């Protein structure tokens, strides 16, 4: 059973002007699709591994044979990260604000959402090269960090520590690969990270927080 590209939960133009239509079309249809194609190719003829979910594959990379482990790490990671990312975004004005237990946890960990934002932006801006900024639940607390390439916090410290990646249960992730922002923001990654708050789907983040606790 091959992995397939999930449909976006909104139109390609739905996140304008924060994320432009062309970026969404290329990011979803070309980049995300490429991770899926490469994952399917890596797992061709390996029915036991291909029967697992992408989430399960990246949570236990040690179970993947050495020769395809890098391909599975990069491409199952890419598939998981992007599948999550699309759901974490919403058209401007529709994503709401943190509420309930999530709002309480943000207040406890950072003081306020206004205090969380620059820390998250800094994590994304300081990730050298390609990667992701993350808000994760780790030891029952909210923590901000980043990962390299298509690494995901569920890969665990054994995989992530060498590249300074954060482990935990991700509830918010923002793609800081140049392909995510370059057409509109060029070299200005910090501007992309400042603007993206307008299209974060806090309802979805709250659901992930509730499930992660
Ligand atoms: Mn991407």
């Amino acid at each position: 059973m091959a992995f397939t590209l999930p449909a976006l939960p909104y139109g390609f133009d739905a996140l304008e002007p924060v994320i432009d239509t062309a970026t969404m079309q290329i990011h979803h249809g070309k980049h995300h699709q490429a991770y899926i194609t490469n994952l399917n190719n890596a797992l061709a003829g390996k029915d036991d591994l291909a029967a697992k979910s992408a989430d399960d594959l990246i949570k236990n990379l040690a179970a993947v044979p050495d020769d395809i482990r890098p391909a599975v790490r990069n491409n199952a990671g890419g598939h998981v990260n992007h599948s999550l990312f699309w759901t974490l975004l919403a058209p401007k004005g529709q994503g709401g604000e943190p509420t309930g237990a999530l709002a309480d946890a943000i207040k406890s960990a950072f003081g306020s959402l206004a205090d969380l934002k620059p820390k998250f932006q800094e994590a994304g801006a300081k990730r050298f090269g390609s990667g992701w900024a993350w808000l994760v639940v780790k030891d029952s607390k909210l923590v901000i960090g980043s990962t390299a390439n298509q690494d995901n916090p569920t890969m665990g410290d054994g995989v992530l520590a060498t590249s300074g990646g954060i482990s935990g249960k991700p509830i918010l992730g923002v793609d800081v690969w140049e392909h995510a922002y370059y057409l509109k923001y060029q070299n200005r990654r910090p501007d992309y990270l400042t603007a993206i708050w307008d299209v974060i789907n806090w309802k979805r983040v709250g659901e992930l927080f509730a499930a992660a606790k």
Side-chain angles (χ1 to χ4, degrees):
M1 197 172 75
F3 294 97
T4 56
L5 184 66
L8 284 181
Y10 35 72
F12 291 112
D13 62 350
L15 306 178
E16 292 269 9
V18 175
I19 305 179
D20 59 286
T21 302
T23 293
M24 289 302 293
Q25 289 171 328
I26 297 166
H27 199 174
H28 179 262
K30 303 297 183 185
H31 291 277
H32 189 174
Q33 179 62 60
Y35 298 117
I36 293 166
T37 300
N38 292 337
L39 177 60
N40 287 331
N41 289 341
L43 298 180
K46 296 180 165 58
D47 292 347
D48 53 332
L49 291 173
K52 295 186 176 186
S53 69
D55 290 289
D56 286 342
L57 285 169
I58 65 169
K59 278 179 192 162
N60 190 11
L61 284 167
V64 177
D66 290 353
D67 60 327
I68 60 167
R69 191 177 302 133
V72 171
R73 176 177 177 173
N74 290 334
N75 294 295
H79 182 30
V80 169
N81 289 344
H82 289 83
S83 297
L84 175 65
F85 186 47
W86 310 134
T87 71
L88 290 167
L89 303 173
K92 196 170 180 176
Q94 294 183 23
E97 295 289 330
T99 57
L102 173 62
D104 293 343
I106 289 172
K107 191 176 178 185
S108 173
F110 306 106
S112 69
L113 180 60
D115 293 313
L116 174 156
K117 287 179 177 179
K119 292 187 172 75
F120 188 92
Q121 291 164 222
E122 184 183 16
K126 282 189 170 173
R127 169 52 61 181
F128 185 77
S130 297
W132 290 74
W134 299 101
L135 177 64
V136 307
V137 177
K138 187 178 175 71
D139 302 327
S140 302
K141 288 184 176 172
L142 287 178
V143 185
I144 286 168
S146 67
T147 58
N149 304 314
Q150 293 299 349
D151 287 349
N152 179 286
T154 64
M155 289 177 180
D157 283 324
V159 171
L160 299 167
T162 54
S163 57
I166 190 167
S167 66
K169 294 180 181 174
I171 65 167
L172 174 62
V174 170
D175 191 340
V176 299
W177 284 57
E178 285 187 343
H179 70 225
Y181 62 85
Y182 208 86
L183 292 181
K184 181 177 173 77
Y185 297 91
Q186 293 85 47
N187 60 309
R188 302 185 307 278
R189 186 191 288 186
D191 290 357
Y192 157 72
L193 287 165
T194 301
I196 204 162
W197 298 112
D198 280 345
V199 293
I200 294 298
N201 183 351
W202 287 106
K203 183 167 180 284
R204 172 71 169 146
V205 178
E207 291 167 359
L208 291 167
F209 178 68
K213 280 200 303 178

